[in-house]
Amino acid sequence: MSARVLYVFFTPSPEEVAWAEQCTGSSESCFALVPALKCFQKMARFPSPDEIPDVVVDHDRRCLELAENIWPDHGSSPSAKAHRKLVRQRQGVKYDAGQAWAIAATAVRKAAHAKNNPADLINVAIEELLRLRLELLGYTTLEDLATSIRAEVNATIFATILQRSGPNRGSARRRSGRQVDVQPAW
């Protein structure tokens, strides 16, 4: 990760540091909240602690002027959940996995009639979730969603083509009048 990326995306502002300090009761807890905030701002979701690169952790440690022996620690599970809630409130984002899944599915289904690449379909879902200020679903969830919906839509398109080709859909005539069997590629 470049120094520029670290500076632009992962350097907390003085106001963000003050907010994190006000919301937490210890250096470790504040140190956990700041990278959670900065990563959420960049990714629109919360990465697991092992997903956050060491370089980001070290950068935020320096920004917070903490000793090398201090590590990010949300504390108990309820504290981690409270930190996620604080970040969502600050960012104006709603967490509702069921609603996000339904919205993503609708967006992907609509786009799948014009796009076939799973990455394009995932991007459509991400854009719609961001537009509606919803926390993003995990990448694997979006990938599975795009893959299954794309398969459904493609099957419907193929069935429509077969139906429209008429009762002799398995054969075609050459100019000579001879009949030649044509097998669908799928």
Side-chain angles (χ1 to χ4, degrees):
M1 187 175 305
S2 72
R4 183 180 185 290
V5 168
L6 274 175
Y7 178 76
V8 170
F9 295 109
F10 296 102
T11 301
S13 70
E15 191 273 328
E16 289 170 333
V17 172
W19 169 81
E21 288 172 343
Q22 180 184 1
C23 293
T24 59
S26 70
S27 296
E28 292 85 1
S29 187
C30 179
F31 188 19
L33 184 55
V34 168
L37 172 66
K38 299 312 290 181
C39 288
F40 192 89
Q41 288 171 342
K42 176 77 171 129
M43 302 168 65
R45 70 174 185 86
F46 293 100
S48 64
D50 59 319
E51 282 183 275
I52 301 173
D54 290 340
V55 67
V56 170
V57 173
D58 291 338
H59 175 73
D60 283 344
R61 180 185 288 115
R62 286 189 302 277
C63 290
L64 295 170
E65 299 176 357
L66 298 172
E68 290 291 320
N69 63 341
I70 302 216
W71 290 93
D73 183 11
H74 289 286
S76 65
S77 180
S79 293
K81 188 175 182 178
H83 285 178
R84 289 190 297 273
K85 185 176 179 180
L86 287 167
V87 170
R88 287 183 192 113
Q89 287 173 344
R90 180 175 175 81
Q91 294 304 117
V93 173
K94 182 179 172 190
Y95 173 71
D96 185 337
Q99 181 184 16
W101 193 92
I103 288 168
T106 300
V108 167
R109 187 165 277 110
K110 182 178 177 184
H113 289 280
K115 299 175 185 284
N116 198 43
N117 185 336
D120 293 337
L121 297 173
I122 291 167
N123 285 336
V124 165
I126 288 171
E127 288 172 13
E128 185 64 7
L129 294 174
L130 290 175
R131 186 183 72 76
L132 295 173
R133 309 284 305 157
L134 286 165
E135 184 174 333
L136 294 183
L137 300 167
Y139 180 79
T140 305
T141 302
L142 290 172
E143 183 178 39
D144 292 346
L145 181 73
T147 300
S148 65
I149 290 175
R150 182 184 67 156
E152 287 174 25
V153 170
N154 284 351
T156 302
I157 291 169
F158 296 152
T160 301
I161 291 169
L162 283 174
Q163 183 182 23
R164 288 181 180 173
S165 65
N168 296 327
R169 64 176 173 238
S171 61
R173 295 200 180 266
R174 286 188 171 170
R175 287 180 201 220
S176 66
R178 244 180 52 210
Q179 190 164 344
V180 178
D181 283 336
V182 177
Q183 297 299 320
W186 58 91

